[in-house]
């Protein structure tokens, strides 16, 4: 390839040409055409290189070496051998840095100061380049050698000294060094000139075919040519723009008119936004008024309910008292009724006894009377015993009833507790399943259908069903800065963690249709937030809460997607919610003192919600979606599930024991009640017998008159009891009516309270809807405020642009007035204007012939005409130059394409020829359109196996293939020397021998070039030749400051 030299197409200030990755105007071809090339391996007639090769290198305080060299290299093949740490790579690194290369190009550091040995203040590199023959650079100044000295300071700065053969300093400018390198065609950043071990390794392991193509382009300098063409085309376009800057005033006026039109449109839009803002404010006021009305209604209902509560309680107490009075009256009435019945029975017995006595005449029944008296005493004793038993049994019945009632209450409580534990167990088991599923797929935390739903969303987006791909679930798009805030943030965001964001309502409808496939009817679906997607997050600094100790929800989260952050700000106002871990501290901040500015609420680490005047405890004890330690959560949940199961078993055992106790006590109660009834019957029977025996008198001693008096008294008593009974009945009916009236009043007020509760329930729902509507309208208002602010900023920008254009127009108008003081609007054609100009010229001539100085006018006219013709000639010349430049560039770019195809084909032929020396076969496929290079190699005969990628080869095979590729590039690229670092490190003995023979054969055919090969091998098997020099590096010793080398041959073929 030809040497790079300065061209005369551009001025010095444009000497630095910008690089581009692509040619936009000319890179149209991608197909390879056949190109006829020829190459030979014949031995060159030159015996040694004359310019550009490395004669020697000397290092001081470089990397970890105090002193290395000087190393004197042969003119053809040089092997630098030695163990690790001996300084081989340091020599190669110094060569790159010393010739002006960047630190990153060495793959040994990112800054020059890293090459200065530890404990030293600076490092020095001295490189001697050969400068002989006809192509020598300024031979009269430098002589046969050019010495490049570079001094590197601790701060990373470096300075140059370019010396002649005699040691005289010729220059200290880097530009001189660049000129020398360009003259010798030395490119330190070209991998063909210097291929480091790291660069070779990256090339071997690279999976990107584009990287291989870039490697080829850089090695052959095609990349530099491509960038040069790009720069020329850019310069041409800039020249075109300068030529086309005519009619500037009219263009500026057109731009001004367009800007004015845009400003007018912007002002109209601003007015529309103002109207929308007013409408939005009206809707917000209406929503707030509706919210307040519903809140007032609820407050009124609550006040009315609270006002009726004491009356209800009083009426309930009155009903209880009336019931008690009615029951007492009923007891008195029944007692009187029983007494009346007993008196009536006594009356019947007295009447019967009187009749019997009147009929009886027997007076000898004294023994029977005594017997009756004895029996009466026995019966009375028995009645007393039975009554004592009755009292005892009655107490037992009460005890059993209390025990049964207590057990039933305990049973009901335990049963409710069991139900709660079962519900908690079911919830924990479901949560445990979701957590276990989330170990393999974190998205399953947000629902078992979420992964499938996201796949469906991706598929729909690929098919173009969405304008913008929906984002969600939102909980999967956020990360916690502090894991201890997980429960607090979940309590704050709640269902928003499972929500999705859509750009517009059309996308929302598509997402709703997708959700129907995964969420059956009747099950709750995730919320869908519709908001225009923006690439930037809202600026909430003016309305966010600030506290020196506690973060907001917004600052406690890491949110990469601006859409997610904006949605959470819109829906929940996370910039105004503080996170305070300690409950008591949260109360102190929010309730015991004035809350921080812009802070509406706070959440604690336990998930409790704290307002300025309220405090709500969280129902959850652990986070469900945002926990990081899944294994710990699973372990805790498993323990809790086991505890719940054990708790259920204990509760069931307790319930079983209670059921047995209740059944046992009920059986005993029934027995006692049956025994009680039997005792009652026995008592009544004994009392009846006593009365019968007491009423029996012997006929002989009975005084009939006395019995009749007693019967008369009994009748009077019966009348009194009957009268008392009637009074008790009336009293009972009166109390009954009072009881019914009190019950009616109580039922009425209780019904009223229930009606108020029924009225309050829909109002609560309406209040929630109104609250949501208020939030929605507030978000809408914020949206329009931001739109208005953004639009006003744009409008102000347009106005500033208008002012600038007006100033520019005034400047142009001022310049135009210098030519013509008065502006003339021209609407006629050029031919008509020419005729008018000619007519006016004739008129001017006539006028000046009679009135003015014709010579002065003609002189001014000639000057103006010459200026015009000169400018017109320059413009035409530039246009012709641009046209010619386009033709030249088209031709040169076609030549560049042909040259690239030739280099490509030559590289393929060399590569295939080199592989065939070991019976390998391979392919190199260049795709210039897509800028990719595919290399495939197959050991063995080509017709026996398929081609494989180089990554599929063994280490030795891959290294051998890389050597073949490097040698192919060496064959088609021009450079005075080649450096290769540890080329045989992965080769076996066979591959190393073959690769070595190939390199030596090429070196023998190119004796005019220098080869520097670094290897850890001994190279003892190399043939003895004057063209081969081996520099053997000694192993470093403790305290050693200079590392000597020992050449194998003593001949010095530098001349």
């Amino acid at each position: 390839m030809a040497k790079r030299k300065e061209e005369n197409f551009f001025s010095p200030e444009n000497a630095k040409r910008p690089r581009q990755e692509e040619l936009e105007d000319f890179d149209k071809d991608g197909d390879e055409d056949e190109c006829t090339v020829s190459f030979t391996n014949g031995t060159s007639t030159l015996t040694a290189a004359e310019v550009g090769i490395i004669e020697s290198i000397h290092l001081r305080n470089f990397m970890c070496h105090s002193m290395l060299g000087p190393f004197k290299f042969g003119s053809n093949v040089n092997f630098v051998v030695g163990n690790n740490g001996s300084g081989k790579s340091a020599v190669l690194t110094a060569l790159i840095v010393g010739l002006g290369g960047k630190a990153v190009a060495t793959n040994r550091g990112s800054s020059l100061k890293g090459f200065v040995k530890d404990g030293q203040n600076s490092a020095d590199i001295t490189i001697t380049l050969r400068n002989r023959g006809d192509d020598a650079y300024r031979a009269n100044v430098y002589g046969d050698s050019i010495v490049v000295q570079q001094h590197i300071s601790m701060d990373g700065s470096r300075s140059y000294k370019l010396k002649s053969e005699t040691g005289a300093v010729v220059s200290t400018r880097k530009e001189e060094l660049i000129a020398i390198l360009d003259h010798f065609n030395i490119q330190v950043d070209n991998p063909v000139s210097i291929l480091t071990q790291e660069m070779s390794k990256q090339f071997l392991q690279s999976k990107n075919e584009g990287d291989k193509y870039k490697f080829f382009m850089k090695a052959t300098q095609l990349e530099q040519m491509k960038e040069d063409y790009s720069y020329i085309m850019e310069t041409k376009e800039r020249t075109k723009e300068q030529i086309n800057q005519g009619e500037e005033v009219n263009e500026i006026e057109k731009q001004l008119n367009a800007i004015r039109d845009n400003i007018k449109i912007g002002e109209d839009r601003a007015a529309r936004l103002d109207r929308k803002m007013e409408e939005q404010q009206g809707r917000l006021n209406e929503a707030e008024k509706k919210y307040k009305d519903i809140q007032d209604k609820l407050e009124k209902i609550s006040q009315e309910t609270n006002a009726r509560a004491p009356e209800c309680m009083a009426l309930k107490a009155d009903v209880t008292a009336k019931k008690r009075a009615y029951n007492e009256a009923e007891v008195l009435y029944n007692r009187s009724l029983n007494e009346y019945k007993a008196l009536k029975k006594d009356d019947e017995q007295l009447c019967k006894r009187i009749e019997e006595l009147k009929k009886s005449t027997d007076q000898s029944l004294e023994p029977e009377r005594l017997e009756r008296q004895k029996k009466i005493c026995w019966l009375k004793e028995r009645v007393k015993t039975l009554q004592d038993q009755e009292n005892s049994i009655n107490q037992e019945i009460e005890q059993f009833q209390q025990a049964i009632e207590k057990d039933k209450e305990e049973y009901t409580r335990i049963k409710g507790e069991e139900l709660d534990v079962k519900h908690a167990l079911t919830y924990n088991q479901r949560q445990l399943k979701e957590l276990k599923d989330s170990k393999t797929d974190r998205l399953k935390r947000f629902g078992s259908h979420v992964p499938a739903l996201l796949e469906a969303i991706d598929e729909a987006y690929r098919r173009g069903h969405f304008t913008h791909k929906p984002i969600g679930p939102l909980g999967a798009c956020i990360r916690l800065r502090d894991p201890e805030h997980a429960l607090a943030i979940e309590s704050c965001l709640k269902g928003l963690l499972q929500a999705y964001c859509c750009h517009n309502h059309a996308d929302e409808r598509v997402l709703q249709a997708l959700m129907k496939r995964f969420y059956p009817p009747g099950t709750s679906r995730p919320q869908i937030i519709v908001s225009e997607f923006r690439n930037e997050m809202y600026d909430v600094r003016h309305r966010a809460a600030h506290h020196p100790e506690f973060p907001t929800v917004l600052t406690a989260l890491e949110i990469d997607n601006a859409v997610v952050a904006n949605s959470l700000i819109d829906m929940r106002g996370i910039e105004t919610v503080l996170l305070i871990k300690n409950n008591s501290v949260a109360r102190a901040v929010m309730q015991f003192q004035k809350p921080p500015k812009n802070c509406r609420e706070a959440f604690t680490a336990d998930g409790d919600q704290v307002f300025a005047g309220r405090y709500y405890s969280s129902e959850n004890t652990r986070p469900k979606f945002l926990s990081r330690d899944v294994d710990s959560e699973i372990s805790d949940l498993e323990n809790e599930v086991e505890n719940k199961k054990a708790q259920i078993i204990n509760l069931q055992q307790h319930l079983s024991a209670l059921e047995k106790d209740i059944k046992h006590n009920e059986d005993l109660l029934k027995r006692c009640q049956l025994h009680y009834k039997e005792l009652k019957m026995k008592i009544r029977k004994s009392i009846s017998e006593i009365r019968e025996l007491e009423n029996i008198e012997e006929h002989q001693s009975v005084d009939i008159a006395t019995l009749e008096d007693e019967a008369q008294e009994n009748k009077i008593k019966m009348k009194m009891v009957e009268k008392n009974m009637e009074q008790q009945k009336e009293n009972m009916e009166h109390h009954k009516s009072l009881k019914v009236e009190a019950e009616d009043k109580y039922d009425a007020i209780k019904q009223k309270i229930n009606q108020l509760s029924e009225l309050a329930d829909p109002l609560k729902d309406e209040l929630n809807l109104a609250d949501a509507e208020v939030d929605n309208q507030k978000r809408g208002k914020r949206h329009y405020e931001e739109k208005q602010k953004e639009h006003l900023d744009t409008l102000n920008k347009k106005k500033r642009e208008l002012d600038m254009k007006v100033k520019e127009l005034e400047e142009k108008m001022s310049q135009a007035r210098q030519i013509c003081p008065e502006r003339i609007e021209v609407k006629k054609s050029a031919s008509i204007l020419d005729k008018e100009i000619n007519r006016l010229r004739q008129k001017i001539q006539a006028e000046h012939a009679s009135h003015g100085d014709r010579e002065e006018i003609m002189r001014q006219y000639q000057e103006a005409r010459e200026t015009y013709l000169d400018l017109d000639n320059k413009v035409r010349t530039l246009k012709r130059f641009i046209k010619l430049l386009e033709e030249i560039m088209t031709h040169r770019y076609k030549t560049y394409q042909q040259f690239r195809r030739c280099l490509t084909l030559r590289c393929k032929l060399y590569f295939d020829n080199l592989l065939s020396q070991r019976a390998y076969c391979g392919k190199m496929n260049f795709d210039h359109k897509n800028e990719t290079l595919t290399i495939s190699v197959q050991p063995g005969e080509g017709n026996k196996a398929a081609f494989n990628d180089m990554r599929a080869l063994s280490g030795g095979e891959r290294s051998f293939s890389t050597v073949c590729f490097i040698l192919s590039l060496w064959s088609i690229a021009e450079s005075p020397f080649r450096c290769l670092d540890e080329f045989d490190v992965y080769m076996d003995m066979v591959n190393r021998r073959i690769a070595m023979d190939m390199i030596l054969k090429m070196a023998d055919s190119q004796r005019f070039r220098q080869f520097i090969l670094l290897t850890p091998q001994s190279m003892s098997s190399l043939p003895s030749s004057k063209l081969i020099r081996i520099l053997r590096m000694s192993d470093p010793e403790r305290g050693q400051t200079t590392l000597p080398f020992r050449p194998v041959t003593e001949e010095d073929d530098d001349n």
Side-chain angles (χ1 to χ4, degrees), residues 44-309:
S44 173
T45 57
L46 295 176
T47 58
E50 293 184 337
V51 294
I53 67 172
I54 310 296
E55 290 187 341
S56 66
I57 185 169
H58 183 203
L59 311 178
R60 187 177 66 84
N61 295 332
F62 188 77
M63 295 177 68
C64 59
H65 305 283
S66 299
M67 189 73 68
L68 278 179
F71 303 124
K72 292 187 177 180
F73 294 99
S75 61
N76 191 227
V77 181
N78 297 271
F79 286 95
V80 181
V81 301
N83 295 324
N84 292 334
S86 60
K88 300 190 304 299
S89 297
V91 173
L92 191 63
T93 302
L95 184 60
I96 297 174
V97 175
L99 294 179
K102 296 180 180 179
V104 293
T106 66
N107 294 312
R108 294 278 179 168
S110 59
S111 175
L112 289 175
K113 61 185 179 182
F115 295 122
V116 180
K117 183 180 179 183
D118 290 343
Q120 302 298 325
N121 295 325
S122 63
D124 294 293
I125 303 171
T126 303
I127 300 173
T128 304
L129 301 176
R130 180 171 293 181
N131 188 43
R132 303 175 185 174
D134 296 336
D135 289 332
Y137 180 81
R138 299 174 66 186
N140 58 338
V141 176
Y142 286 98
D144 291 342
S145 299
I146 299 176
V147 180
V148 181
Q149 287 187 353
Q150 184 176 154
H151 181 78
I152 303 174
S153 302
M154 273 298 295
D155 58 357
S157 62
R158 60 181 171 184
S159 59
Y160 296 94
K161 286 184 179 180
L162 301 176
K163 298 182 178 180
S164 65
E165 181 184 17
T166 60
V169 177
V170 177
S171 176
T172 59
R173 298 170 64 247
K174 186 176 181 181
E175 288 77 8
E176 178 73 4
L177 175 61
I178 294 174
I180 293 172
L181 297 179
D182 282 346
H183 184 83
F184 292 157
N185 200 24
I186 297 174
Q187 305 161 46
V188 293
D189 59 344
N190 191 333
V192 169
S193 296
I194 303 174
L195 183 63
T196 63
Q197 182 182 1
E198 186 66 24
M199 187 179 297
S200 176
K201 181 180 178 182
Q202 291 176 0
F203 172 74
L204 282 171
Q205 297 179 350
S206 174
K207 300 180 180 179
N208 192 338
E209 297 174 351
D211 293 340
K212 297 177 183 176
Y213 184 83
K214 290 179 181 178
F215 184 88
F216 169 78
M217 293 290 286
K218 188 173 183 180
T220 56
Q221 293 184 268
L222 289 171
E223 183 180 15
Q224 181 64 38
M225 294 176 65
K226 183 178 178 182
E227 292 172 354
D228 291 344
Y229 292 148
S230 297
Y231 175 75
I232 293 171
M233 294 308 299
E234 285 182 0
T235 306
K236 184 199 73 172
E237 292 301 324
R238 286 197 298 270
T239 307
K240 269 188 176 181
E241 290 176 2
Q242 292 175 358
I243 292 174
N244 295 329
Q245 285 180 351
E247 301 294 332
E248 291 183 355
V249 172
N250 291 335
E251 287 296 325
I252 293 174
E253 285 186 336
K254 290 179 182 178
Q255 293 175 9
L256 280 176
N257 293 331
I259 293 173
R260 288 192 181 102
D261 294 339
N262 288 335
I263 290 175
K264 186 175 183 304
I265 293 171
E267 289 175 345
D268 294 340
R269 188 181 177 193
R272 288 198 302 274
L273 283 173
D274 288 338
R275 289 195 296 273
K276 286 185 178 180
M277 275 292 297
E278 292 174 359
E279 293 172 1
Q280 187 68 30
Q281 185 64 43
R283 287 195 292 270
L284 176 60
N285 294 337
E286 184 180 350
E288 289 179 343
K289 182 176 180 300
K290 183 179 178 182
Y291 178 82
K292 189 174 183 305
D293 292 342
I294 296 172
Q295 197 172 30
D296 292 341
K297 287 181 181 178
L298 269 177
E299 188 68 26
K300 184 177 179 182
I301 290 173
S302 177
Q303 291 175 358
E304 188 174 352
T305 303
N306 294 335
R308 290 180 181 272

Side-chain angles (χ1 to χ4, degrees), residues 390-505:
E390 178 189 14
N391 293 332
S392 176
I393 291 297
N394 195 21
Q395 290 178 359
E396 290 183 7
I397 288 173
E398 289 180 358
Q399 290 175 357
F400 284 130
Q401 286 176 340
Q402 291 175 359
I404 290 170
E405 187 66 26
K406 183 178 179 182
D407 287 344
K408 284 184 177 180
E409 289 177 358
E410 181 72 8
Y411 184 86
T412 303
R413 185 183 67 78
I414 297 298
K415 195 70 176 174
E417 188 175 346
E418 181 197 22
L419 190 61
D420 293 340
V421 175
K422 283 183 177 178
H423 287 321
L425 176 62
T426 304
Y427 174 77
N428 288 340
Q429 287 175 334
R430 184 170 64 252
Q431 194 174 5
L432 180 61
K433 183 178 181 301
E434 292 174 355
L435 279 176
K436 287 182 177 179
D437 292 341
S438 68
K439 287 185 69 176
T440 56
D441 191 347
R442 181 174 177 267
L443 292 173
K444 288 188 177 180
R445 278 197 178 193
F446 302 93
S448 57
H449 304 304
V450 169
L453 175 60
L454 292 180
E455 289 181 2
I457 291 173
D458 292 338
E459 180 65 24
Y461 179 68
R462 283 195 295 270
R463 294 183 178 181
H465 296 167
F466 289 108
T467 308
H468 291 275
K469 181 181 174 182
I471 298 173
L474 299 186
C477 304
I478 62 177
R479 298 183 302 278
L480 300 178
R481 299 183 188 275
D482 186 351
E484 294 183 7
H485 287 144
L487 183 57
I489 293 176
E490 279 196 17
S491 300
C492 175
L493 300 181
K494 296 180 181 176
L496 290 176
L497 293 171
Q498 297 174 276
Y500 292 78
C501 295
C502 286
H503 177 68
N504 51 39
H505 289 286

Side-chain angles (χ1 to χ4, degrees), residues 544-563:
H546 296 283
H547 195 279
E549 297 181 28
F550 309 116
T552 63
V553 176
L554 178 60
T555 57
L557 293 174
E558 291 183 6
I559 308 176
D560 298 329
N561 195 320
V563 175

Side-chain angles (χ1 to χ4, degrees), residues 393 664 666-676:
I393 291 297
H664 179 67
E666 285 178 345
D667 292 340
L668 293 176
L669 178 62
K670 288 179 181 178
R671 292 178 188 175
C672 289
Q673 288 175 341
L674 185 61
H675 191 192
Y676 182 77

Side-chain angles (χ1 to χ4, degrees), residues 307-399:
R308 290 180 181 272
E311 183 182 358
C312 180
M313 293 178 65
L315 288 174
K316 186 177 181 181
D318 186 51
V319 168
T320 304
K322 292 293 194 301
K323 280 185 179 180
R324 190 182 299 110
Y326 169 73
N327 292 335
E328 291 175 357
E330 187 178 15
V331 169
L332 292 175
Y333 170 74
N334 290 332
R335 190 180 297 166
S336 299
L337 181 61
N338 292 333
E339 186 179 358
Y340 176 77
K341 289 179 180 179
L343 289 173
K344 189 174 182 182
K345 188 174 182 180
D346 290 344
D347 182 63
E348 290 175 356
Q349 289 177 352
L350 283 173
C351 292
K352 183 179 178 182
R353 182 61 179 164
I354 290 170
E355 289 297 328
E356 289 177 356
L357 287 175
K358 285 182 180 180
K359 293 178 180 179
S360 176
T361 56
D362 191 359
Q363 298 294 327
S364 59
L365 298 175
E366 182 64 20
E368 293 181 6
R369 186 181 66 79
L370 294 174
E371 187 65 27
R372 283 197 300 273
Q373 290 293 331
K374 185 177 179 182
K375 189 174 182 180
I376 287 171
C377 291
W378 178 77
L379 286 172
K380 286 182 178 179
E381 289 293 332
R382 187 183 179 201
V383 167
K384 187 175 182 302
T385 302
L386 290 173
Q387 285 177 343
D388 292 339
Q389 292 181 4
E390 178 189 14
N391 293 332
S392 176
I393 291 297
N394 195 21
Q395 290 178 359
E396 290 183 7
I397 288 173
E398 289 180 358
Q399 290 175 357

